[in-house]
Amino acid sequence: MSGGAARRYVAAALGRARARGPPPLWEPPPARHLRALGTGGAAALSPPPPLLLLLPPRRHLSSRNRPEGKVLETVGVFETPKQHGKYETGQLFLHSVFGYRGIVLFPWQARLYDRDVASPVTEKSENVAGHGSKEVKGKTHTYYQVLIDARDCPHISQRSQTEAVTFLANHDDSRALYAIPGLDYVSHEDILPYSSTDQVPIQHELFERFLMYDQTKVPPFVARDTLCAWQEKNHPWLELSDVHRETTENIRVTVIPFYMGMREAQNSHVYWWRYCIRLENLDSEVVQLRERHWRIFSLSGTLETVRGRGVVGREPVLSKEQPAFQYSSHVSLQASSGHMWGTFRFERPDGSHFDVRIPPFSLESNKDEKTPPSGLHW
């Protein structure tokens, strides 16, 4: 990597991380999460820049004379982000929006329906009753199933749920939901890849069950048979197939629906879905989410309206320093399919309000539905 290219790469990585949010291990006031050494000359920047994170000190280190008892430590070396292709199982990365460390388990190929992109040729109609939305064309896009470093979970919990991946276990309680902590879905462009010589660079209870170190491989973490078996067994409720995105007043809403399975309740069938939503402020103006307004249409012919304060008990503030918020929720229908759409109401600093459209998305049950998992046994 030439000195000029390295400088541009470091500047881009730093700028992206600073613009999109605070680091996982450094609280406001704003501070630099990523730092590159040797920025004084091209020769010093010839190797890839190191990734430095502000971490709690190790027990044998004295925290004397260190602010808040933290120390800057090297955790890896940045790699150039891939513009084409996909990342492999075992790729270490820093999330460019939420700032946590993670590792790729495996990729998913999804259809992204982006209402911000004009489609001269329509491939799929999303014209949901009552919403009046335009038709959009789906585009193949890569997402990744990843593990989140447990050390970073407490620092992102106000911005992103770390137990968002839920499933219906095959038990008698038809309404029981189970969650796996520290799993996430990450879009290709949100990955800032890095490498590490640490044989256990990510702290997660599933890391050593799913992955093993092999220094002859690149990346040097390869899938164990347990990871392959887990993916094969549980893909019906893990796999994402459609992603929907729309921007209103510089607030971008991304929705990913997942079918979770069907249960019998009171002599009828109840179909369950979960949906993950990311709200992102693309502007510098501070806004706060105040209300949600959902419309839920079922194939059985019912149309339900749901209004409420905030989402998942919160009214998140989206600012330049903290631009994004991500959460998941659930919905059930007494029909095998339906649609959802609606609006989020935001408030500006001057007290004025505006509504942000939630892109309409389908709730479809899997035709080749399999038995829900009975539990997480490896």
Side-chain angles (χ1 to χ4, degrees), residues 292 309-316 325:
R292 68 187 185 278
R309 297 286 296 182
V311 291
V312 293
R314 302 182 188 177
E315 297 181 22
F325 180 80

Side-chain angles (χ1 to χ4, degrees), residues 136-192:
V136 294
K137 180 180 179 180
K139 180 180 180 181
T140 302
H141 196 72
T142 303
Y143 279 75
Y144 300 94
Q145 193 89 60
V146 308
L147 290 181
I148 303 173
D149 195 308
R151 294 167 293 186
D152 296 347
C153 286
H155 304 277
I156 65 170
S157 60
Q158 295 301 311
R159 293 283 122 189
S160 179
Q161 289 178 329
T162 57
E163 295 188 354
V165 178
T166 56
F167 64 97
L168 291 167
N170 192 17
H171 296 306
D172 293 335
D173 185 356
S174 62
R175 297 183 62 84
L177 289 173
Y178 296 80
I180 305 176
L183 270 186
D184 199 5
Y185 296 88
V186 181
S187 178
H188 182 85
E189 64 270 16
D190 286 339
I191 285 183
L192 292 175

Side-chain angles (χ1 to χ4, degrees), residues 230-297:
W230 184 76
Q231 180 187 9
E232 174 63 25
K233 176 183 178 182
N234 298 311
H235 81 84
W237 55 273
L238 283 174
E239 183 174 8
L240 71 168
S241 56
D242 292 347
V243 179
H244 304 266
R245 191 159 68 192
E246 185 169 3
T247 303
T248 310
E249 300 274 353
N250 289 314
I251 305 298
R252 184 164 61 197
V253 180
T254 303
V255 183
I256 309 176
F258 299 84
Y259 176 60
M260 298 177 65
M262 181 270 294
R263 290 294 174 81
E264 292 187 9
Q266 298 178 347
N267 299 322
S268 65
H269 291 165
V270 179
Y271 298 81
W272 284 84
W273 290 263
R274 81 174 182 273
Y275 53 92
C276 296
I277 291 186
R278 181 161 125 183
L279 305 168
E280 191 167 5
N281 186 359
L282 305 180
D283 199 2
S284 58
E285 183 181 43
V286 178
V287 296
Q288 184 170 12
L289 174 63
R290 290 301 193 187
E291 299 176 14
R292 68 187 185 278
H293 177 202
W294 283 105
R295 307 294 298 278
I296 306 169
F297 175 77

Side-chain angles (χ1 to χ4, degrees), residues 37-268:
L37 297 180
T39 55
L45 277 175
S46 294
L51 169 61
L52 306 181
L53 297 181
L54 195 64
L55 302 173
R58 296 173 182 171
R59 291 185 178 180
H60 67 272
L61 294 177
S62 171
S63 61
R64 195 174 299 170
N65 299 324
R66 294 192 184 108
E68 299 182 5
K70 297 186 177 75
V71 61
L72 198 64
E73 291 185 3
T74 303
V75 299
V77 178
F78 268 125
E79 298 175 347
T80 304
K82 289 186 177 182
Q83 301 299 319
H84 305 286
K86 64 179 184 292
Y87 296 102
E88 303 296 330
T89 295
Q91 175 65 60
L92 295 168
F93 70 93
L94 191 74
H95 197 295
S96 67
V97 175
F98 297 110
Y100 64 73
R101 289 164 288 179
I103 191 166
V104 170
L105 294 181
F106 41 80
W108 296 113
Q109 291 300 309
R111 299 295 290 176
L112 173 62
Y113 297 94
D114 193 342
R115 284 164 181 76
D116 303 330
V117 178
S119 300
V121 179
T122 58
E123 180 176 300
K124 177 179 178 180
S125 174
E126 291 287 351
N127 191 17
V128 182
H131 187 77
S133 70
K134 58 188 176 183
E135 295 179 339
V136 294
K137 180 180 179 180
K139 180 180 180 181
T140 302
H141 196 72
T142 303
Y143 279 75
Y144 300 94
Q145 193 89 60
V146 308
L147 290 181
I148 303 173
D149 195 308
R151 294 167 293 186
D152 296 347
C153 286
H155 304 277
I156 65 170
S157 60
Q158 295 301 311
R159 293 283 122 189
S160 179
Q161 289 178 329
T162 57
E163 295 188 354
V165 178
T166 56
F167 64 97
L168 291 167
N170 192 17
H171 296 306
D172 293 335
D173 185 356
S174 62
R175 297 183 62 84
L177 289 173
Y178 296 80
I180 305 176
L183 270 186
D184 199 5
Y185 296 88
V186 181
S187 178
H188 182 85
E189 64 270 16
D190 286 339
I191 285 183
L192 292 175
Y194 73 91
S195 60
S196 172
T197 57
D198 190 345
Q199 294 189 16
V200 187
I202 299 296
Q203 290 188 12
H204 191 287
E205 62 180 350
L206 300 179
F207 179 85
E208 293 185 89
R209 295 181 180 180
F210 282 169
L211 300 160
M212 60 183 173
Y213 183 77
D214 185 344
Q215 62 180 357
T216 66
K217 303 292 185 180
V218 179
F221 306 99
V222 296
R224 294 183 184 270
D225 291 341
T226 50
L227 175 59
C228 301
W230 184 76
Q231 180 187 9
E232 174 63 25
K233 176 183 178 182
N234 298 311
H235 81 84
W237 55 273
L238 283 174
E239 183 174 8
L240 71 168
S241 56
D242 292 347
V243 179
H244 304 266
R245 191 159 68 192
E246 185 169 3
T247 303
T248 310
E249 300 274 353
N250 289 314
I251 305 298
R252 184 164 61 197
V253 180
T254 303
V255 183
I256 309 176
F258 299 84
Y259 176 60
M260 298 177 65
M262 181 270 294
R263 290 294 174 81
E264 292 187 9
Q266 298 178 347
N267 299 322
S268 65

